[in-house]
Amino acid sequence: MTETIEKPAGSRVAPSRRSFLKWSGVATGTATLLASSTNLGMPGHGPAAAADGMADADKTVWNACLANCQSRCPLRLQVKDGTVVRILPDNTGSDELGDLQVRACVRGRNQRERIYSPDRLKKPMKRAGERGEDKWEEISWEEAFDTIASEMKRVKENYGNEALWYHYGSGSTGGNITKRGTWPRLLNTYGGYLGQYGDYSTAQITAAYPYFFGDSTSSNSLEDAQFSQLQVMFGNNPLETRMSGGGELGVVQKVRKDFNVKTIVIDPRYSETALAAGDEWVPLRPGTDAALVAGLIHVMIEEGLHDQDFLDKYCVGFDEDHMPDGVPENNSYRAYLEGKGEDGTEKTAEWAADITGVPADRIRQLAREIAGAKPAAITQGWGPQRNATGENSSRAIFLLAAATGNVGIKGGGTGAREGNTTLPVAAFPLFDGEEPPVTTQISCFNWIDAIDHGPEMTATNGGVRGKDRLDVGIKLMVVNASNTLTNQHNDLNKTYETLADTDKCEFIVVIDHQHTDSAKWADILLPSTTNFEEFDMIPGASCGDTGWVIWGQQAIDPLYDTKTGYEMCTEIAKRLGIEEEFTQGRTQEEWRQYLYEQSKEAIPDLPSADELEELGIWRKHADTPFISLKEFREDPEANPMPTDSGKLEIFSKQLYDMNKEWEFDDDLDRLAPLPEQVQTYEDWKAARADGAKYPLQLMGHHYKGRTHSSYANLPRNKEAHPQKAWVNPVDADERGIDNGDFVDVFNDRGRMRIPALVTPRIAPGVVSVPQGAWHDPDKDGIDMGGCVNLLTKYHPSPLAKGNPANTALVEVEKYRG
């Protein structure tokens, strides 16, 4: 007889030490060891102990932190009696650029709480109540595999492979074999599945690249900023989002310390990067970056500070003398600035000030400073583009780099996200052959439309790629290491409503090692190992010019009744009759050796596998910092951009033509050929309208205690970084809110109740709720966890069909219950 299990409501509280040990399944004899071997400041474990670890540990093995912050930090796991008792950071490298120690942050160092979390999934289960009700029956692995294989066969036979969907997520992005790749390989071996483009972090900027540069590009590495006179960061916050000592944080701090490059941070929030690496903070309203850039360039033109020679030689669309054929007059960017375009408004500093909240005199000063710095490193993070018109925000910042002549030179940049130097480590293959068997794609973000009305989605109304329209909606979903099914998707209640209808999406399998909010919506729930319970070869990543390889070893045997993703997929492949095609006769460890051998061919000086196992991490530094578009700058005729013009396209003729064909439900949606400030819903203008019901702009910033929603359930992370709504003192005073008061943040989509952080570190008129907290509704549906996506709007951006999370309006009121 199987047992029906119901998770209690409101279970996201920190467990007691006793309950933690009970739930983790740790033997009594190990409890004292666990309690005394924490990494977070317990007596007897200071800096010396952190360096040396525990002398009586049975073994110390290397693995890595693989959640999606990009840094891929190595970890040394000390094991005693089959239990991970301590997590140590990288102890190699130095304090020099090119050899920085890849020191993990507090998130990576707290992996023990994750491995032994009371939220660990321990046995395969099937849904016992309504979907989303969070009631379960334990089942055997055989029943789970049989059910999943049967459902895959049924859906393929009834609807075709395009009805299968592999859900976007980033819970194990840093891995290789342990990455999410095993399940896509299984689905591709079975004939393919509906593909996806873009991601929740970068959809708009990724879609913007081709219409300015011709394809995806990046800016110079942040290590190259040592040659700059000025560094300007638009919404770029490496000191919180990528806190690795060898990644962005380490490089930014080292460049600042050694070369003292002045840094200006432009961001609605005074981030840790602005605080610790910035010299000046320019707060602006969310979604107004394109207006700020227009005001800056207007000042530069007015005072003769822009680089007209660069614009003439390398760009099209800046002025009327350099426009594509077939475009009516007064469609250039300069005409837009001068008020000769369709809106008839000159884009003066005063105009920009009214939109952005940045004073006009500060805009003029900033324009002179950026234009006068030769060279200037202009980069953007992914916050500015994560709004309803994010494609334009990104293109505007690209334009600022071009207008100041900083593209393709040492110490300069393209205005994009920083680039880096990496190593060509072979990746676990998602499919065999040149392309996947199914080439139809939709945006990773508008999947709920494909569930709700898939056959109505076309290339021009839903961003379908690879064919004119979908033939069928999504009927079966594989959700692996992903909490974007619900918690990280916009408008939670709308998302829940879509998923609850089992006549639309007929089967959902969720694979994870934590009982996330998304796990509640599974029909079959599979417990996976953590990466510390399996083998891998992990490519490192950095914003600098050092690449690395981590030889990931299995620290402990799989806990509870869990399996690796490779084991799961092999068993399902066996039932589908495609085991040999899927595995190619290799075990997971044999795949690691295979990938090593491929990598060795591309990296001749890569140490042997035995040496890698001994070293744990191996790093290699580039001879010179990465400079984006260097060849184009040096010889644009021999090295043209992959655009129609061969140049940087400030005016996009492609977007101009596409706007005539694409269909939008909202009158405010359109494809703008220029990187102009575009009005949209729930933006700065709507917030300031007379009698606005929701007068505050909402944004969700990334937070030091979490990587998206990963680590959000760990007690020590929550204690160190509690969830609070950031409110400016001006807005707090108007509402009678004091620092620490519980407040309700709400709109028509939902309501949350969390403490307020009243601080001048957020721009007036803006509320920021750190993104990634797990949704935790009380009996009245009020979220006590502070999940910002309860309040964000589901409205895919016009071009990318991407995530517009930073375009939403709310009100805040003091809770007086």
Side-chain angles (χ1 to χ4, degrees):
M1 177 75 68
T2 54
E3 178 186 2
T4 300
I5 303 168
E6 182 173 0
K7 281 192 63 84
S11 61
R12 300 290 176 230
V13 296
S16 67
R17 172 68 59 179
R18 181 183 300 275
S19 65
F20 172 77
L21 296 174
K22 175 183 176 183
W23 274 91
S24 68
V26 177
T28 305
T30 314
T32 302
L33 180 63
L34 280 171
S36 64
S37 61
T38 178
N39 303 310
L40 301 177
M42 295 293 284
H45 293 277
D52 299 331
M54 296 184 64
D56 62 342
D58 296 334
K59 61 179 180 178
T60 301
V61 301
W62 289 80
N63 208 292
C65 178
L66 300 185
N68 185 26
C69 83
Q70 184 118 349
S71 293
R72 317 293 187 260
C73 294
L75 299 171
R76 294 181 294 136
L77 290 85
Q78 293 199 298
V79 179
K80 180 76 172 177
D81 298 331
T83 300
V84 177
V85 294
R86 191 170 182 83
I87 306 286
L88 300 174
D90 179 21
N91 61 349
T92 67
S94 68
D95 189 34
E96 298 301 320
L97 283 173
D99 188 46
L100 287 175
Q101 187 180 82
V102 190
R103 180 175 286 270
C105 75
V106 293
R107 296 183 293 226
R109 295 287 298 280
N110 197 25
Q111 296 286 356
R112 284 180 58 258
E113 276 200 343
R114 201 175 191 213
I115 296 170
Y116 301 109
S117 170
D119 285 319
R120 275 296 295 264
L121 295 171
K122 298 177 181 178
K123 289 182 176 293
M125 297 186 288
K126 68 179 180 182
R127 173 167 59 88
E130 297 297 318
R131 187 184 285 169
E133 197 174 358
D134 213 14
K135 293 182 179 179
W136 306 95
E137 293 180 6
E138 292 181 358
I139 58 175
S140 68
W141 277 106
E142 287 71 22
E143 181 180 349
F145 294 145
D146 289 345
T147 302
I148 294 167
S150 174
E151 286 295 306
M152 288 177 64
K153 289 178 182 178
R154 180 187 66 80
V155 170
K156 180 175 180 176
E157 290 170 1
N158 291 343
Y159 303 106
N161 279 85
E162 286 183 11
L164 304 175
W165 171 254
Y166 182 74
H167 197 65
Y168 168 80
S170 61
S172 61
T173 299
N176 197 333
I177 310 167
T178 56
K179 194 176 179 177
R180 297 159 9 95
T182 49
W183 287 88
R185 180 172 176 82
L186 172 67
L187 292 169
N188 280 323
T189 307
Y190 192 54
Y193 59 96
L194 178 62
Q196 58 193 247
Y197 59 85
D199 57 56
Y200 279 48
S201 295
T202 71
Q204 285 89 314
I205 191 172
T206 300
Y209 284 135
Y211 301 98
F212 197 95
F213 299 108
D215 59 9
S216 291
T217 188
S218 65
S219 194
N220 298 13
S221 68
L222 290 180
E223 191 169 324
D224 180 67
Q226 64 186 280
F227 304 110
S228 306
Q229 287 190 2
L230 176 68
Q231 184 171 221
V232 183
M233 292 180 160
F234 281 80
N236 202 351
N237 182 23
L239 268 66
E240 287 181 275
T241 59
R242 297 178 177 177
M243 300 193 294
S244 160
E248 276 79 344
L249 178 145
V251 170
V252 169
Q253 290 188 327
K254 185 65 175 173
V255 167
R256 177 172 177 80
K257 177 182 177 182
D258 289 359
F259 303 99
N260 200 29
V261 178
K262 182 176 180 179
T263 299
I264 298 173
V265 177
I266 301 171
D267 197 310
R269 188 177 69 97
Y270 188 57
S271 66
E272 296 295 291
T273 301
L275 184 153
D279 296 279
E280 296 179 15
W281 173 44
V282 180
L284 80 171
R285 298 184 179 112
T288 64
D289 302 83
L292 178 62
V293 169
L296 293 171
I297 296 178
H298 187 281
V299 172
M300 293 177 190
I301 291 174
E302 199 172 45
E303 300 184 8
L305 302 175
H306 66 300
D307 193 330
Q308 188 67 47
D309 290 342
F310 179 87
L311 293 166
D312 290 347
K313 183 176 181 179
Y314 296 95
C315 304
V316 296
F318 186 77
D319 53 41
E320 296 296 309
D321 294 334
H322 300 86
M323 289 292 288
D325 294 336
V327 178
E329 65 179 356
N330 292 327
N331 271 286
S332 67
Y333 190 76
R334 183 157 185 165
Y336 164 72
L337 295 182
E338 294 172 346
K340 298 176 182 177
E342 185 177 334
D343 66 3
T345 301
E346 189 173 2
K347 310 307 181 296
T348 63
E350 285 74 16
W351 169 86
D354 183 59
I355 294 173
T356 64
V358 181
D361 286 346
R362 182 69 185 96
I363 292 173
R364 292 189 183 90
Q365 179 190 16
L366 188 62
R368 294 163 188 150
E369 193 164 8
I370 293 173
K374 303 294 184 182
I378 300 171
T379 61
Q380 61 180 297
W382 293 333
Q385 59 88 52
R386 202 173 295 116
N387 68 71
T389 58
E391 297 91 346
N392 271 27
S393 298
S394 293
R395 291 165 61 218
I397 301 168
F398 303 159
L399 170 58
L400 182 62
T404 52
N406 282 298
V407 175
I409 59 174
K410 183 167 70 173
T414 65
R417 186 72 190 252
E418 66 274 358
N420 58 10
T421 303
T422 58
L423 296 174
V425 176
F428 183 74
L430 306 187
F431 50 85
D432 298 325
E434 296 297 319
E435 60 181 22
V438 173
T439 56
T440 309
Q441 294 181 322
I442 62 171
S443 165
C444 70
F445 181 71
N446 64 351
W447 54 270
I448 67 170
D449 292 334
I451 291 176
D452 184 66
H453 53 270
E456 299 174 25
M457 292 179 65
T458 69
T460 55
N461 71 20
V464 175
R465 295 182 183 178
K467 64 192 308 182
D468 291 336
R469 69 167 57 241
L470 294 183
D471 297 323
V472 65
I474 294 171
K475 298 297 182 182
L476 184 151
M477 303 179 75
V478 176
V479 184
N480 178 30
S482 170
N483 199 13
T484 61
L485 183 67
T486 57
N487 204 85
Q488 299 303 101
H489 193 67
N490 292 30
D491 193 347
L492 274 181
N493 286 320
K494 177 182 177 65
T495 304
Y496 291 159
E497 182 181 348
T498 302
L499 292 172
D501 190 343
T502 56
D503 290 333
K504 291 181 177 178
C505 184
E506 298 173 357
F507 185 76
I508 300 173
V509 55
V510 172
I511 308 98
D512 212 317
H513 53 70
Q514 307 287 317
H515 197 110
T516 65
D517 186 74
S518 293
K520 300 173 186 177
W521 295 87
D523 297 303
I524 293 288
L525 186 53
L526 301 183
S528 73
T529 57
T530 65
N531 59 289
F532 309 113
E533 296 155 65
E534 49 185 306
F535 299 94
D536 207 351
M537 178 182 179
I538 302 156
S542 164
C543 70
D545 296 285
T546 302
W548 58 82
V549 178
I550 301 165
W551 196 247
Q553 289 291 86
Q554 183 182 27
I556 56 175
D557 292 333
L559 294 176
Y560 318 117
D561 192 11
T562 62
K563 292 186 184 297
T564 69
Y566 190 74
E567 289 178 286
M568 298 179 200
C569 291
T570 300
E571 286 294 327
I572 297 170
K574 184 185 300 182
R575 287 159 171 78
L576 296 172
I578 55 173
E579 180 183 5
E580 183 62 29
E581 294 94 325
F582 172 75
T583 66
Q584 295 189 358
R586 299 186 182 99
T587 64
Q588 182 162 333
E589 197 165 0
E590 288 169 340
W591 268 109
R592 180 174 67 164
Q593 185 61 32
Y594 172 78
L595 297 177
Y596 165 79
E597 291 165 0
Q598 286 193 317
S599 302
K600 179 70 174 175
E601 292 180 10
I603 314 169
D605 51 348
L606 186 67
S608 70
D610 289 341
E611 290 171 324
L612 272 179
E613 184 169 347
E614 179 69 23
L615 291 169
I617 179 174
W618 177 78
R619 51 173 66 76
K620 183 179 177 65
H621 189 242
D623 294 333
T624 57
F626 175 77
I627 301 174
S628 184
L629 304 188
K630 181 175 183 290
E631 294 79 10
F632 169 69
R633 179 64 181 262
E634 291 173 348
D635 192 340
E637 296 295 328
N639 304 289
M641 300 300 297
T643 57
D644 289 342
S645 64
K647 298 182 178 183
L648 306 179
E649 297 194 340
I650 297 167
F651 180 97
S652 172
K653 182 64 160 54
Q654 279 185 282
L655 290 177
Y656 178 77
D657 293 335
M658 287 165 58
N659 190 57
K660 301 172 185 176
E661 301 172 357
W662 279 37
E663 307 159 59
F664 302 105
D665 293 334
D666 193 314
D667 292 339
L668 294 176
D669 284 343
R670 67 184 180 92
L671 305 181
L674 289 172
E676 61 193 78
Q677 181 68 36
V678 178
Q679 183 183 348
T680 188
Y681 58 86
E682 297 194 31
D683 63 357
W684 63 274
K685 190 171 185 178
R688 296 168 64 195
D690 289 341
K693 183 178 180 182
Y694 300 115
L696 299 172
Q697 287 185 265
L698 175 70
M699 60 176 281
H701 66 269
H702 286 47
Y703 203 36
K704 291 185 291 185
R706 304 185 287 269
T707 302
H708 302 306
S709 70
S710 296
Y711 313 118
N713 59 322
L714 305 188
R716 288 194 177 94
N717 289 42
K718 294 167 75 171
E719 181 181 3
H721 304 288
Q723 186 74 343
K724 296 182 179 181
W726 292 40
V727 184
N728 185 275
V730 172
D731 301 313
D733 288 347
E734 290 177 358
R735 293 160 175 82
I737 296 169
D738 293 324
N739 187 48
D741 284 346
F742 271 83
V743 295
D744 282 9
V745 186
F746 63 96
N747 57 26
D748 291 340
R749 292 180 285 274
R751 180 180 291 258
M752 69 171 60
R753 185 168 296 148
I754 56 176
L757 175 65
V758 178
T759 174
R761 291 180 59 175
I762 191 73
V766 182
V767 174
S768 193
V769 176
Q771 69 92 26
W774 287 11
H775 184 227
D776 186 16
D778 67 8
K779 62 181 178 60
D780 298 317
I782 298 173
D783 178 24
M784 309 302 287
C787 178
V788 71
N789 284 312
L790 180 68
L791 307 177
T792 56
K793 185 176 177 64
Y794 177 76
H795 187 121
S797 65
L799 175 62
K801 307 302 179 187
N803 171 15
N806 288 337
T807 301
L809 297 182
V810 296
E811 180 58 284
V812 178
E813 63 184 20
K814 184 175 180 176
Y815 173 62
R816 301 181 186 279

